[in-house]
Amino acid sequence: MSERFVSLGDPLLRTLDTAVVAVSLSQPVAPPAKKPAKKSVIAPAIPNNPLLEVILHDTVIFPEGGGQPTDTGIITTVVDGMTWEVLQAKRHGGHAVHYVRVKEGDTDKALLAFSPGAKVTVALGQEGYDRRYDHMSMHTSQHLLSALLESRLELPTLSWSLTAYPSPCYVEIPRGMTVKEVSSIQDEANRLVFEGRRVHVEVEELDRTQEKPTAVLDSGRAAGKGLPDDYTGGVKRVVVIDGVDRNPCCGTHLPSIHNLQLFLLPHTDALSRSTTTNARLYFLAGTRLINHLTSSHNLLTSTASILSCGASQVPERVNQVVDERRRAEKRLSDVETELARHLARELIDGMAQKANGGFFKKVLHRTDDSGNTLGFLSAVSLAFTTLAESAEPYLIILGSSPSSQTTTSTTIVLLFGSDDKKVKEAGEGLKSKLGVKGGGKGLKWSGKYIGVWREKENVALSELLDGI
């Protein structure tokens, strides 16, 4: 991209008086079929309202490129003093095309205001400048980080992502890193930051025949990116961090790394692709680092308050709470197992007391707020089949409802018996007469009833068993 854009030559400039070169009505483009990657920076949404595509003689609004997202901003037309919103800017060849929202849908008035030669003032605005400063901080940090990874550990940057604020950005590298390696790179980066190394741009005449092809690793993955194929700027920009890095780039950068204070998350995440050992190293700088420290501090102090301890005691108290929770869950499991065996014995006693033997049928419904209701009912049925010594046939329906019920409450029903045909028959009856949704195979059937379970549902269960 040509260095004539002020957004590249003076990235801290916020406002510029310039003139319109060309304008046209933007044609809506169908959205891409695939979804954007998680946490990646998404360009501001383009509305269905009419838009203008405006090319200016010069601009402070950066068009997306070099891995850096588009700026947003405003344009004021001098002839009428009206302010127009720039939703995004894109690079078309060597030009920056501004996508301008048309006010009140009056395209004729907008086209007239942006007639070629019309004087305008283009500005980032405070929101646009904050966005730009964040992008510059992270972009310059990425150049510094990638240079050190390459020179100190021979780890080329395969790609990088300028994620949506305030998430950490990341570089993708060919392998994971140890905590010691991450720490050493961070220490070296911040040593250079404290020295305040200057960042500047060298502009060279572009000769495509002299451009080196992008390096390719043994895995076939390209390491880095070359100039876009449609680039027609005529010059090549090389971003230089004094004594550290020289790298072709068409993005905006801070004039110095003095205030970056780079922080690397002390681990790398291995990618899930089975054919690669690639990993991601996450990093923060600038306002994102401040936001990360603030939110981490707030989380820590809030957790300390909940646990009634000092911040330094939080890890110990969390371990204590987790251990207590495990012991409580173990006690609960033991009690539920004991209760399940007790209920099973009551059913077995009822079957033994049945006069003259015969077919034992029983409905047992409970009120229970357990987190695993079906698991508990299954434990009752297992205990029954384990403890029962009689060979008498049986068919039992177990039910469990929450203590507080509404029209959306769920009651769990478990049916089990000694004859799979009768179990299936009873299951079909549950579906047809009570609207229980479920299924089963063999000697068990389970389902769910949605709504308020009343005594009439228990009566219906008893009548269902009586009919079998």
Side-chain angles (χ1 to χ4, degrees), residues 33-51:
K34 66 177 184 179
K35 295 181 180 179
K38 186 178 180 181
K39 290 188 178 180
S40 62
V41 170
I42 302 173
I46 296 297
N48 294 326
N49 306 34
L51 295 175

Side-chain angles (χ1 to χ4, degrees), residues 77-100:
T77 45
V78 175
V79 65
D80 54 13
M82 292 187 65
T83 299
W84 308 76
E85 183 182 4
V86 180
L87 299 177
Q88 62 176 256
K90 292 184 177 181
R91 179 186 59 80
H92 289 185
H95 300 285
V97 179
H98 304 72
Y99 290 79
V100 179

